[in-house]
Amino acid sequence: GGSGSSSSSSDSSASGSDSEQSSYKVAMIMSGIITDGGWDQGHYESLKRALESHPKWTMLEPKENTADADAATAAQTYVDQDVDLIIGNGNQFASDWAEVVADAADSHPKVHFLITNTDPTTEMTDYETLDPVETVLPDFQQTGALAGVVAGLMTQTKSIGFIGGMKLPSTITKYSAYLAAAKKIDPSIQGQYNFEAGFTDASLGTNLTQQWIASNNVDVMWGDASAVDNGARQALEAAGADTHFDIAQPIDIVGADQPTVVTSTVTDWMIGQAMDEIESGSFGGGKAITGNMDNGGITLGKFSDKVSQDVQDKIKEYSEQIKAGTFVTDDEVSAIQNTL
Amino acid sequence: MDFMTALPTILKAMTMGAVPILLAALGEVFSERAGLVNIGLEGVMAIGAFVGFAVGKMTGNLWLGLVVAMLAGVLINMLYAFCTVTLCADQVVTGMAINILAPAIALFGYNLFVGSNSANATGDQMASIAIPGLSSIPFIGNAFFNQTLLAYLAFILVPLVRYFFKHFRAGLSFRSVGENPHAAETLGIDVVRVKYLACIVCGALAAAGGAFLTLCYTPIYTDGIVMGRGFIALATVIFGRWSALGVLGASLLFGFFDGLNVALQAQFQSAPVMFFKMIPYIFTIVALIFFGSKHAGPKANGQPYFREQR
Amino acid sequence: MMILTPVVAVLLALIIGAIIIACLGKNPLEGYAAMIQGSLGDGAKLSKTLERACPLIFTGLCAAFAYKCGVFNLGGEGQFIMGGCATATCVLGLGLEGPAGLALGLLAGIVAGAIWGLLPGIMKITRGLNEMITTIMLNYVAMYFMEYIYKNVYSDNGLPKTIAIPQSARLPEVFGTHVGVILAIVLGIFIWYVIFRTSFGFKIRAVGMNPIASRVNGFPVRRLVLLAFILSGAIAGLGGAVELLGKTPYRLADGFGSGFGFDGVAIALIAQLNPIAAIFVAFFFGVLSTGGTMMQSVIGVPTAIVEIIRGLIIIFAVAGMAAVKLPKIKAYVAARQDAKAKKAEVNA
Amino acid sequence: MAELLRMENISKRFGSFYANKNVTFDVQEGEVHTLLGENGAGKSTLMNVLIGLYQPTEGKIFMHGKEVSISSPRVAVEQGIGMVHQHFMLIDDMTGLENIILGDKRHNSPLLQEGEDRKTVEDIMDRYGLEIDLDEKVGDMSIGMQQRVEIMKVLFRGADLLILDEPTAVLTDLEVEGLFDIMRSLTAEGKGIVFISHKMREVMRISDRVTVLRRGETVETLRVADTTEQELADLMIGQKFVENTYEKVTGATKDEFVLQNVSYHPEIKHGGLKDVSLTIHKGEILGVAGIDGNGQTPLAEVVTGLVKPDSGKVIGPDGTEIAVFSPETFIDAGLGNIPEDRNKMGLVGDMTIAENLVLKQTESDQFSLGHGKWLKMGEIHSYAERLREENDIRCTSVDQTARSLSGGNQQKVILARELEGHPKLLVAVYPTRGLDIGATEFIHNQIVAQRDAGCAVLLISADFDEVLKLSDRIVVLFEGQIMGTYPGANPPIKEISLAMAGK
Ligand SMILES: Nc1ncnc2c1ncn2[C@@H]1O[C@H](COP(=O)(O)OP(=O)(O)OP(=O)(O)O)[C@@H](O)[C@H]1O
Ligand SMILES: Nc1ncnc2c1ncn2[C@@H]1O[C@H](COP(=O)(O)OP(=O)(O)OP(=O)(O)O)[C@@H](O)[C@H]1O
Ligand SMILES: [Mg+2]
Ligand SMILES: [Mg+2]
């Protein structure tokens, strides 16, 4: 739901200047780098997309490689510059920013915070005020189901794998939906997973995938671990790019130099919506912006020529069902989730 | 877990994982034999990984990438050499500074290289060369005889380095500089030159180890791709008692335990995998405890050398 | 000389940094102004900088103390982390609140750090293992162990972080910073006193400089070395406890303590192993960190630039201090002073 | 005879301190030219300049009449100059042969030619009667053999000019004879030798000419035939030198320290003790004579608590058997120790002189409050100043590092510290090794004064003259065993010498 229920304090101070304000600044703070080919690059590209459709907004140089100990300082430096929107790439920022947000709510009412991949009801309990904050929470069940459909249709060996960088609720949801959707296509499909691969050790991705190929006959991988996914693709390629496939995430990277990638599940972090809300003065209150297949938050990327037209048609058909919420049920997903 | 099914893959991971560590550790053997403890391997490897990646991608010639990476490694290690040899600065903290500086330079370069053109994010890979016959030996064939040329070269380097230290005049001179530089100097050995040479070799080999990561392992560079391998290489030098063969054994052992870690992660998926991740480190310590290293290495290792000091 | 050199080194590094920044088409002066403003600009900034420096003071003291005894402890990070883990386990596991939780938490941190320092000490003394290697290995073990704590034991709703330390067990604040900062400074002074003004410190120093002579002259060398391991570990462990109990987000999570150990070593060596100087150097590192973030965001240069400047500062400081100790430079300085003295004589 | 070397007006400055000032010095072919001077007179510095280890601040060097610039040791080797350093320049971890051929460039091949070189070395060994185990690690060799390796290094490189910096300081009389034989056969071939020694007797026997240095400057160059020991000594110290003789004590009977059947690694021929029993009496100097490497080091280690004997008893001053072997126990029981290697074992080189002087007493009430809880820095400083005064420790300040002191002054620091504790037992191992005659006299006086004050002294020395001069009783150590006990007054020198050779 996008209807704003912003608090009185931010309303009164913001609305006065809103109509006149002709330029806005946005800054992004991330724990990795913008070219990591995964999580942070996905955020960066979302931001760039949003900027294209929001000409009033300009972006500051992103703050990359932000260590835990510097997370709050980094936010504070943007607060000091009266940046209109400060984006934190992931829930790790949620716990670090409580103080900064509380201080800024008093001293810099025009500064807004957007934290991605965060559930405000469970992850922001120590916030004194949620007035200037919103979060983004994509519908990961949809993402997982989309990948699961592709995997289920592509696998020959009935064995699929998943690598996640960190064991987050979102990661678990993704995998559960992924496996549930694949099983929907063929109940005999087996899933392998690792949720703790981190985001940098590409060689771990290679070795892990090699093990799964050797011991479990895995032939389709879906990854959520940036550089580690590259390693996984490396192993798939070595095992034969004609029979081993990868589904990329969260950016669309299908292309000639990625022979194993058949398609990508693309996440858009709905930054444009946050910008709109700020312009209209409705931003805040600790609500969560959802990204889903309806609003373009979740999409499936291009297909490689390894995916036959036949399969593509089926994927389209199932995608509609996923969008409508009729393909996999919550129960089916949580049944798998409970076994992890 | 069916260990026998997993074993060939573990062995493959072992040989693959051992190569970057081996290369860096061989470099460190030269360095420490000349009395220079270079804790900055990690940083030099990062430079090597990035430059190898970028030049390989830019020129399309991976071997050129490797050579330029090694040159870059030498260059950054000259900073270390100048500080520790010419200025006699503390080796540990200089190395540490390299570990901060070098990856930052690499990251900066990567930003420039990829930031403007995201097509640059993925590079090319050296192809594996399967040795006919040998590569089909069960269990070990794929691990040992189906590798990239660079990996073969790394393994061939081991007997060469051993031969160098045993049978070359320069090898003896190298050792004398690490043992007693004042004595070496009185025999007309140019201690400073040997130390600089050691840094050149060390920088080149460590950078080659880093370049292996991007040219042979995965076709990408990420900040932090070295993942502590530089430190592991340091440990293997001690564990390998400053000898090429020992270093080979130690890096294979580490590679094996790392492969085992991954195999366990792959099969025991709901277990707390961080305990598997500890395995390579704990076993390095355990191995050190059992096969001990009372041998303390070159005597003047880590000490600055002032010529006119008494 | 020993104060002037690092200052010159810092200036040199900043100049090179300025050149790089200028090459990127940004204004370095504006950047450095932002750096100072962002770290020391007002009381709140200063206290943030102090809090940022606080763990570095602890790891710096940890390294300085160990090195004084000839122990190359590179495991400050692992000991720091284990301190944090023990504190979390103690406070969260026993459900402690209030001053009891605080006191026991600190104590647990000290003990765990000490144990994590003791392990490489035992390995060195019984098996002759080089502590540089074992402590680095143990850093990794500690890091993964912490992962276990925050993911599997005290995870907050399945998130990869522990639940927060309860409000009542946190370190109280004075002048906008948690008292851990004061604790760190007092500890630094105390360690200076121990090293330079007590018989125990005297022996520690003697062992560090010449263990054989120390043994011949009746010092219990092995015991002192082991104590150096334990105490330096305890210092780092206390640092971990303070960081967890004093600083937001009051939780263990990925990246807790990351890099602090190596920074501590650099700090100790730049401070010439003087604990009081280490406090100042750590503070300077804090300035670089908070100010660097500000500079980066204000003038919009890549984060890597700040890291490059930091690396350069360490290299220049260390190289500069080594350079002034070179016989040639020393001779030059001595000759200059002679000449000056002679001139003064002539004039008089 | 042709001129081999001439050094003209050489000056070498360290910081603002001149170690050599306007020194002029020459060597003829076939001559032994001795450099004589007190510790710190600048002898080694001059030679280090000659072999290119130090660069002279001023001055010229001529070889065979031609001016040369010796910019590095390599140039010196090329010029045919070789030096056996006062502190051996050997690599312990390499074999004798490896040490000898290290850095040599006679072969064009980059590979080592060990076989060929071994033959060359063996030829030289035969020619000069040098005995070296080429395959033993140098670290495991006796001092004498290490020195022969050093000489071999020089000969192997075909040096015309040999510099021997205090080669006899660590040798026994027997070994000295061997060395002199080698030196004579070298000069017979026309080679020149620069010889440095503090032992007047040797200087008179082996040298052709002597140059005396004082405080870095040349005093005089004399033909040995035209001078006397006394004249040289006077020139050296710049005033009349008077050598003391000491009265021997004969009646001491009270046991202060007893070893009963002590064995320590008896299987090691040159590094063990076999069934050693000896008694050190109160108020008596017991001298241990013997060729270096016959158990002196383990004996010293046992009586200072550094090692625990494998069997046997050690009984301390209060008559009880010592149970715990650690230096602390022995120090508590009243041990004073002048260890073998003053730099490694006696002093903490990087600490100040003052700190070294109070090394063992930082917990005493005199220097601290509350048993070491607060060091009284002022008290320590003034104490150090007093000891510096009393012991004539020559330094610019007691706050400079002990390392920066000359050897004699370092030894004075150790002695001052040990004697100030009024030990019941004083163990002195090679106490005057490498010291000049002045410093040696001072140390000897102090040791005898300590005996007269009732201390039991165990003197271990490879310098037979020193043992004879000081000891009230003498025991001889050979291959880890006591060969016999002899009186110190009118000692049977012949008999003792034979015992030292194992007969
Ligand atoms: N490496 C050094 N660094 C600094 N100062 C030194 C160093 N070596 C010696 N000195 C100083 O130079 C001065 C001269 O020392 P020297 O060895 O000549 O003393 P000395 O009086 O000749 O000794 P001795 O009584 O043994 O003959 C002393 O003040 C000494 O402390
Ligand atoms: N590298 C150095 N730096 C500073 N001072 C030095 C250095 N080497 C020697 N000296 C000083 O120069 C003086 C001469 O030293 P040198 O070693 O030449 O004396 P020496 O005559 O050989 O004495 P000894 O009889 O003790 O061997 C001493 O005061 C010594 O302390
Ligand atoms: Mg001297
Ligand atoms: Mg000398």
Side-chain angles (χ1 to χ4, degrees), chain B residues 310, chain C residues 330, chain D residues 14 17 38-42 215 353 392 394-397 400-401 403-410 412 435-436 439:
Chain B
R310 53 181 206 160
Chain C
K330 254 192 186 162
Chain D
F14 291 112
F17 164 75
E38 290 185 291
N39 292 128
R215 299 200 185 284
I353 296 168
D392 187 29
R394 296 189 206 163
C395 54
T396 36
S397 143
Q400 78 189 68
T401 60
R403 187 185 301 288
S404 68
L405 286 180
S406 64
N409 285 309
Q410 288 184 345
K412 286 180 196 167
L435 299 194
D436 65 33

Side-chain angles (χ1 to χ4, degrees), chain A residues 245-256:
Chain A
F245 309 114
D246 184 61
I247 304 163
Q249 177 178 232
I251 50 175
D252 193 352
I253 61 163
V254 170

Side-chain angles (χ1 to χ4, degrees), chain C residues 193 196-200 202-203 205-206 209-210 212-220 223 331 334-335 338, chain D residues 15-16 306 327-328 331 337 343-348 350-351 355 359-360 362-363 372-375 377 417-418:
Chain C
Y193 150 77
F196 293 105
R197 284 293 178 273
T198 68
S199 167
F200 173 69
F202 183 96
K203 289 177 185 173
R205 280 186 292 138
M209 292 190 247
N210 187 343
I212 298 176
S214 301
R215 191 165 117 73
V216 171
N217 284 297
F219 298 170
R223 205 180 332 145
D338 266 19
Chain D
S16 57
L306 279 170
E328 294 145 273
I331 291 166
N337 183 9
N343 262 311
K344 257 191 216 143
M345 302 166 75
L347 293 170
V348 181
D350 292 320
M351 281 187 146
E355 285 174 318
L359 201 62
K360 291 180 180 172
T362 49
E363 267 161 36
K373 300 234 167 45
W374 178 263
L375 296 179
M377 304 308 278
R417 175 183 72 212
E418 296 302 316

